[in-house]
């Protein structure tokens, strides 16, 4: 018998053969149970379980526990400020003690009576006055001493003798101006300072030991017989008397005749 070979017949036969093959394969594969959507999610995601007590922790956790704590660097000293909220400033302790008051200065005793000074002091003063009044500065030379007993006539060291130094300080070449100042200074009141010490001295004028702010009008007149009003203003700004002054020790030694601070 002749088998038809048209295209439709061949296509129909191929489909029959393929259907038979799929059916045979489905019968031979093992059956797999169907899962719900929620069960599929549980199967895909695995949740780590907490280790039971007594079990050794993971090495990573041990390293984290044994790691040294991280320390932050301290701020720069320029920006370290006290936090007024978290760290209030220490309050001063409250005490009943009153601040110590400054002791008032004892009043300066101004002396005018030369008889209250020791005899050696009175004698040296008289010799100085007579020499200065003569107008001859050379008459001061034997009174000015020599070596360790030489009278200080300058605030700075000089290789010149005391008479030559005084001439250099005078407004004239003969030293007359300095002699006049010396007389004016010794004509004022004086003070006795350093009692009982190696620096005990009788000093003219008394302005050297008295605050200028406390001078009375008559005392200001006395001061202006020695200095000018401009000098007085400069002294007030400086804070003390800084013109010529004379010092004689209790034993009669002429210690100094200097000007300046």
């Amino acid at each position: 018998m002749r088998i038809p070979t048209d295209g439709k017949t061949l296509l129909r036969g191929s489909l029959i053969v393929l259907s038979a093959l799929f059916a045979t394969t489905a019968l031979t594969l093992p059956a797999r149970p169907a899962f719900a959507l929620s069960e599929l999610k549980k199967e895909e995601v695995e949740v780590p379980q907490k280790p039971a007590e007594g079990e050794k922790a993971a090495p990573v956790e041990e390293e984290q526990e044994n790691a040294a704590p991280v320390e932050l660097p301290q701020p720069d000293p320029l920006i370290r400020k006290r936090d007024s909220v978290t760290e209030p400033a220490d309050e001063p302790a409250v005490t009943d003690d009153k601040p110590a008051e400054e002791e008032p200065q004892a009043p300066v005793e101004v002396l005018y009576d030369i008889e209250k000074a020791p005899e050696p002091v009175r004698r040296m003063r008289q010799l100085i006055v007579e020499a200065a009044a003569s107008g001859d500065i050379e008459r001061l030379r034997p009174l000015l001493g020599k070596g360790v007993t030489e009278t200080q006539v300058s605030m700075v060291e000089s290789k010149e003798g005391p008479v030559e130094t005084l001439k250099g300080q005078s407004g004239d070449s003969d030293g007359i101006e300095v002699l006049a100042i010396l007389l004016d200074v010794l004509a004022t009141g004086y003070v006795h300072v350093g009692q009982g010490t190696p620096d005990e001295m009788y000093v003219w004028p008394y302005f050297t030991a008295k605050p200028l702010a406390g001078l009375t009008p008559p005392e200001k007149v006395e001061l202006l017989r020695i200095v000018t009003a401009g000098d007085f203003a400069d002294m007030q700004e400086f804070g003390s008397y800084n013109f010529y002054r004379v010092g004689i020790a209790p034993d009669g030694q002429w210690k100094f005749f200097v000007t300046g601070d």
Side-chain angles (χ1 to χ4, degrees):
M1 183 176 66
R2 185 179 178 181
I3 299 173
T5 59
D6 59 297
K8 292 182 179 181
T9 304
L10 290 174
L11 180 61
R12 190 178 292 113
S14 299
L15 291 175
I16 294 172
V17 172
L18 289 173
S19 299
L21 289 173
F22 277 121
T24 305
T25 303
L27 291 173
T28 58
L29 290 175
R32 185 176 180 178
F35 292 98
L37 182 61
S38 59
E39 293 180 34
L40 289 174
K41 290 183 179 179
K42 290 181 181 179
E43 185 179 8
E44 293 175 359
V45 181
E46 294 183 2
V47 179
Q49 300 295 326
K50 183 177 179 181
E53 293 183 3
E55 292 184 0
K56 186 176 181 180
V60 176
E61 294 180 356
E62 271 190 3
E63 291 179 0
Q64 292 180 351
E65 291 178 359
N66 297 332
V70 179
E71 295 184 0
L72 295 177
Q74 293 295 329
D76 188 84
L78 293 178
I79 62 174
R80 291 180 185 174
K81 295 181 180 179
R82 182 184 295 273
D83 190 342
S84 58
V85 177
T86 60
E87 190 180 353
D90 297 335
E91 296 182 358
V94 178
T95 61
D96 296 333
D97 298 337
K98 295 182 179 180
E101 297 181 357
E102 295 183 358
E103 296 183 1
Q105 294 182 348
V108 178
E109 183 182 6
V110 180
L111 304 172
Y112 287 92
D113 186 0
I114 192 59
E115 295 299 324
K116 291 184 178 181
E119 192 279 331
V121 175
R122 299 198 307 267
R123 183 171 181 275
M124 175 56 76
R125 176 186 176 275
Q126 184 61 32
L127 292 173
I128 296 172
V129 168
E130 291 176 357
S134 71
D136 183 4
I137 197 171
E138 285 295 333
R139 291 187 58 177
L140 291 180
R141 193 178 293 277
L143 306 177
L144 293 169
K146 294 181 181 180
V148 294
T149 63
E150 184 175 281
T151 304
Q152 181 183 3
V153 294
S154 176
M155 300 299 292
V156 297
E157 294 184 1
S158 175
K159 294 181 180 180
E160 295 181 339
V163 172
E164 289 71 26
T165 300
L166 290 175
K167 282 184 178 181
Q169 296 173 0
S170 183
D172 62 290
S173 59
D174 295 327
I176 301 299
E177 182 185 36
V178 170
L179 295 178
I181 294 173
L182 184 54
L183 282 175
D184 286 340
V185 168
L186 290 175
T188 66
Y190 64 97
V191 289
H192 183 198
V193 299
Q195 293 92 325
T197 70
D199 297 325
E200 185 175 2
M201 202 91 58
Y202 292 83
V203 181
W204 287 261
Y206 64 88
F207 307 112
T208 58
K210 189 167 185 178
L212 297 181
L215 296 181
T216 64
E219 290 172 337
K220 291 180 181 179
V221 171
E222 281 190 286
L223 178 57
L224 292 179
R225 291 177 63 185
I226 303 174
V227 302
T228 65
D231 293 333
F232 181 36
D234 291 340
M235 289 179 188
Q236 287 179 311
E237 184 176 353
F238 178 74
S240 63
Y241 175 88
N242 59 4
F243 196 52
Y244 279 97
R245 49 199 178 272
V246 174
I248 302 176
D251 60 0
Q253 182 183 348
W254 188 3
K255 286 290 189 179
F256 58 78
F257 176 45
V258 293
T259 183
D261 55 1

